Amino acid sequence: MSIGSMASEGMTVRSPSHAKSPRQSEMEDVEIGSSRGRLLKAKESDIFEVTTSVGENNNSREAESGSAMKSIIASTMYSGCSVGMVLVNKSLASSYNHLINGDLNILLVVFQAVAAVLCVEFSKYMGWVDYPPFCLRTAKSWSPVNLLFCGMLFTGMASLEHNSVPMVTVFKNITNIMTTFGDCILYGAKIELLVVAAFGIMLAGAVMAARNDAEVTQLGLFWMLANCVCTSGYVLYLKYATKSVKLSKFGMVFYNNVLCTLFLFPVTLMNGEFGTFLSTKALHTVDYAAKNAFAGFVGFFLNFASLNCVAQTGPTTYAMIGSLNKVPIAIFGYFIFDSVISEETWTFISISLLGGVLYTIAKLREGKKKSGK
């Protein structure tokens, strides 16, 4: 009897007849080594798959977090610029409208569009932004945005002329609901129940605020409905244009204001606003020019913020922010211009804030569903 071999499990004694040849031992070692190699590779593969899965989840969460932050920044920029623009224009109107018979609303838009073009062209000259030179084909692709904008502006003024402000506010909230459903039909956006509730509450608040001034004429109703269609169409088409027209955001700002000038300046000639401006010497001052230039500077940022907000968040959120902007405008107007806030206005503000809170909750829930929490 002889000692055969020593294995890792312990010592065994084998007879000479069962002893393995060097060749057999070598083959066994190779097979055992291959088996261990396969096991090790399998474990490494599992570890790699788990690591890859964790990495993808982390990247997905980081991407969603970055997207949410971009949406918040875009919404804040749009809201701030929009409120600032309204306050600047209100300052212009309160300072100079008493000098003329009527108003210069469309001419002010033209002045501000020219100032915005100068701002974006100066930024391009300094190398801060870049976009291709004016192209007629690109202008044609972008022109529906401006035609809808001009229609929104004109019908909005006409509806204010033939209806009270509270009634126009009611239809503005109806416009937001139209925009939401348009976003759902055209772009496949999902409408949360809380979103519908938010817009419904804000519409109810507007109706309550207008309950003492609910008279509507046929002509007034026509202009308000036309304004609803133009406004909703403008916001919805803006989303399509920001994706289909191959331009940077600053290029879009350039075409937006150039086309606004081309479309609206002839209107000021026909309605007499430009003639009124030329004949009113009291408006030919450095102060008036400076305020219009500043308004154009704010309008430059508002154009960029509007385009960015629609691209980052969508028409529904854009419409909601537009509705909620009435709250800070009313409060700032009270402190800056001594505007009177009636009981109906306070009711509308409170209900609008409630609608805004519901909408925010709906968006947070939507974000959690997307992240799989």
Side-chain angles (χ1 to χ4, degrees):
M1 186 166 298
S2 63
I3 298 174
S5 65
M6 184 180 292
S8 59
E9 291 83 359
M11 182 180 292
T12 59
V13 179
R14 299 181 184 272
S15 64
S17 61
H18 290 88
K20 295 179 181 175
S21 67
R23 178 65 179 170
Q24 288 175 325
S25 298
E26 184 181 346
M27 291 298 294
E28 186 180 71
D29 289 341
V30 171
E31 290 174 1
I32 292 173
S34 298
S35 177
R36 287 176 181 171
R38 286 194 296 269
L39 181 61
L40 182 60
K41 286 180 180 178
K43 288 181 178 180
E44 288 177 349
S45 177
D46 291 342
I47 292 170
F48 177 76
E49 287 177 2
V50 171
T51 304
T52 303
S53 178
V54 171
E56 288 176 352
N57 288 337
N58 289 337
N59 290 338
S60 178
R61 289 175 183 174
E62 288 177 2
E64 288 171 1
S65 176
S67 178
M69 184 57 64
K70 287 180 180 179
S71 297
I72 292 171
I73 293 173
S75 301
T76 304
M77 283 180 59
Y78 168 61
S79 179
C81 291
S82 178
V83 171
M85 193 68 184
V86 171
L87 294 177
V88 169
N89 282 334
K90 187 173 179 62
S91 174
L92 268 170
S94 62
S95 300
Y96 296 99
N97 271 6
H98 65 281
L99 300 174
I100 58 175
N101 293 323
D103 56 59
L104 302 177
N105 291 334
I106 296 180
L107 187 62
L108 287 179
V109 175
V110 173
F111 285 158
Q112 291 160 17
V114 172
V117 170
L118 293 176
C119 285
V120 73
E121 281 288 283
F122 178 75
S123 299
K124 181 181 178 181
Y125 175 78
M126 296 298 293
W128 300 334
V129 302
D130 188 37
Y131 52 87
F134 183 84
C135 173
L136 186 59
R137 179 178 297 177
T138 305
K140 288 180 180 178
S141 299
W142 191 258
S143 59
V145 173
N146 288 92
L147 289 173
L148 287 167
F149 173 78
C150 293
M152 178 183 70
L153 189 68
F154 179 77
T155 56
M157 291 178 180
S159 62
L160 280 170
E161 183 180 349
H162 295 91
N163 299 281
S164 65
V165 173
M167 285 305 301
V168 172
T169 304
V170 170
F171 277 83
K172 288 290 185 184
N173 282 275
I174 294 175
T175 302
N176 294 336
I177 295 174
M178 289 173 58
T179 303
T180 301
F181 281 101
D183 193 13
C184 177
I185 295 169
L186 297 176
Y187 303 111
K190 294 182 180 179
I191 303 178
E192 293 267 345
L193 184 60
L194 277 179
V195 173
V196 178
F199 280 116
I201 287 173
M202 295 177 73
L203 177 59
V207 171
M208 289 177 63
R211 65 183 183 273
N212 295 325
D213 191 6
E215 294 183 3
V216 181
T217 63
Q218 289 184 349
L219 185 59
L221 181 62
F222 167 78
W223 286 120
M224 283 194 293
L225 290 175
N227 183 246
C228 288
V229 173
C230 289
T231 304
S232 184
Y234 167 71
V235 176
L236 292 170
Y237 190 84
L238 191 60
K239 180 176 181 177
Y240 169 77
T242 54
K243 293 184 177 180
S244 63
V245 181
K246 304 303 180 183
L247 278 174
S248 67
K249 293 294 188 299
F250 291 101
M252 293 177 185
V253 171
F254 170 75
Y255 278 96
N256 208 37
N257 287 283
V258 166
L259 292 175
C260 270
T261 304
L262 294 176
F263 289 151
L264 292 179
F265 182 68
V267 177
T268 66
L269 296 176
M270 290 185 290
N271 67 7
E273 287 188 14
F274 189 69
T276 301
F277 171 76
L278 291 178
S279 61
T280 308
K281 300 298 182 182
L283 298 179
H284 305 168
T285 62
V286 175
D287 180 68
Y288 187 76
K291 285 187 175 181
N292 270 295
F294 179 72
F297 182 70
V298 176
F300 162 67
F301 285 103
L302 176 60
N303 267 251
F304 175 82
S306 299
L307 295 167
N308 192 45
C309 183
V310 172
Q312 293 291 340
T313 64
T316 302
T317 301
Y318 181 87
M320 172 59 75
I321 295 171
S323 292
L324 291 176
N325 280 345
K326 294 179 177 63
V327 176
I329 288 171
I331 295 173
F332 279 121
Y334 174 77
F335 287 106
I336 298 175
F337 303 107
D338 295 325
S339 301
V340 178
I341 302 180
S342 63
E343 182 180 346
E344 289 82 3
T345 304
W346 280 118
T347 302
F348 173 69
I349 288 174
S350 302
I351 295 177
S352 295
L353 288 174
L354 176 60
V357 169
L358 288 177
Y359 187 81
T360 303
I361 293 172
K363 283 299 175 182
L364 290 174
R365 286 176 56 181
E366 181 182 334
K368 288 182 178 180
K369 287 180 181 179
K370 287 182 179 179
S371 61
K373 293 182 179 179

